[in-house]
Amino acid sequence: MKRNIITTSDGSKTIQIEEWNEQYHSIHGAIQEANHVFMKHGLLYYSEKSDNKLTETNTEEIGILEIGFGTGLNTFLTLIEAEKLKLNINYVGVEAYPVQLEEIQQLNYIELISETHKAVFEKLHETPWEEPHLITSNFKLEKQQKFFKDINAENRFDLIYFDAFGARVQPELWTEDIFKIMYKALKENGVLVTYCAKGSVRRAMQAVGLTVERLPGPPGKREMLRATKPFSE
């Protein structure tokens, strides 16, 4: 399938799959969407929840699973936020079809987000797959090349960034079967965030036992979803 580098409304670039008319990030703003969905309503929300008691002196790791490592944008933003907040992150990014380095080099995330983190961004993409790497002193990354249906983690992650291609082009990624895997992978009180707000997706999440809330969406979208795995009784 033909892939193009396009510029989104906030000036940041993303990859478009021409045949699907689908992008790795929102055409209304790649960085804006990532910050709104995955940082504000994901990482920052989780770290500020009173029952998590995360402070600057807390050495406990936050386990994050990203469904769709893609361009590494969410990973890059998470690393920078974790540095600011003094959080320790153990990050797993799953991707069935890794983006090529020559495509990554055409993106402008370093220029728009943090030129001082240029070497770190490059390291995120250059480290080998299938093994954990310490990217910075507080950020560990493992990239796994596999299909989402093959994830077999159990009670491992505090936070899931569900950033798969949209249900319009890959409906099989937004089913009860997939969310059962996500539910199993989350720890109790763990949080899943996604840009999607389809009713069928919300119902699939609820059907597997997640507590789901609608939130205001990023630019170009009215709503998004955040789900929590409840404590067992």
Side-chain angles (χ1 to χ4, degrees):
M1 288 183 283
K2 186 176 179 182
R3 298 153 66 89
N4 304 312
I5 305 296
I6 66 168
T7 302
T8 68
S9 294
D10 66 0
S12 57
K13 296 182 183 296
T14 192
I15 300 171
Q16 180 187 59
I17 299 178
E18 191 172 286
E19 183 179 323
W20 288 353
N21 189 29
E22 181 78 355
Q23 292 73 228
Y24 276 69
H25 306 288
S26 171
I27 60 171
H28 300 286
I31 292 175
Q32 285 184 137
E33 176 192 50
N35 273 323
H36 181 89
V37 176
F38 303 108
M39 299 306 105
K40 178 180 179 180
H41 292 300
L43 180 65
L44 297 181
Y45 167 79
Y46 182 84
S47 66
E48 291 168 0
K49 287 175 71 175
S50 60
D51 45 5
N52 292 323
K53 297 183 175 64
L54 294 172
T55 68
E56 290 188 359
T57 58
N58 191 348
T59 58
E60 184 178 350
E61 288 185 335
I62 300 176
I64 300 178
L65 171 65
E66 182 176 13
I67 299 301
F69 179 76
T71 65
L73 174 58
N74 297 329
T75 315
F76 189 43
L77 290 171
T78 300
L79 183 149
I80 292 171
E81 286 296 331
E83 189 177 274
K84 293 176 186 175
L85 299 171
K86 297 181 171 60
L87 301 174
N88 294 304
I89 305 293
N90 190 345
Y91 198 104
V92 174
V94 176
E95 179 65 56
Y97 302 102
V99 176
Q100 299 301 307
L101 278 176
E102 53 265 32
E103 293 177 300
I104 296 298
Q105 291 164 356
Q106 297 178 63
L107 304 175
N108 59 352
Y109 302 150
I110 296 168
E111 173 190 344
L112 296 180
I113 298 169
S114 175
E115 292 188 350
T116 61
H117 288 82
K118 181 177 186 292
V120 170
F121 181 76
E122 292 172 349
K123 190 175 181 180
L124 290 174
H125 289 284
E126 291 170 357
T127 51
W129 289 66
E130 314 305 337
E131 55 188 61
H133 300 273
L134 200 60
I135 306 299
T136 66
S137 61
N138 67 318
F139 194 96
K140 188 187 301 178
L141 170 67
E142 181 176 349
K143 298 179 292 188
Q144 299 179 355
Q145 185 174 359
K146 62 172 65 172
F147 293 109
F148 305 148
K149 65 181 179 62
D150 296 325
I151 294 169
N152 58 9
E154 187 169 355
N155 298 320
R156 178 177 173 185
F157 297 102
D158 302 288
L159 184 58
I160 294 177
Y161 298 161
F162 201 91
D163 200 15
F165 283 130
R168 176 180 62 84
V169 297
Q170 289 195 307
E172 70 277 9
L173 302 182
W174 302 85
T175 62
E176 283 187 34
D177 286 342
I178 291 295
F179 288 116
K180 283 178 184 175
I181 295 170
M182 300 300 106
Y183 183 93
K184 185 177 178 182
L186 278 173
K187 298 177 184 177
E188 291 184 357
N189 201 39
V191 172
L192 180 151
V193 282
T194 183
Y195 63 87
C196 182
K198 285 175 66 71
S200 59
V201 172
R202 176 174 52 82
R203 291 188 291 273
M205 291 180 179
Q206 291 171 327
V208 305
L210 293 167
T211 302
V212 186
E213 56 185 320
R214 297 186 185 94
L215 300 170
K221 287 188 68 68
R222 187 167 60 88
E223 293 182 326
M224 57 166 283
L225 297 177
R226 182 168 63 206
T228 302
K229 181 175 179 176
F231 288 107
S232 59
E233 297 181 358

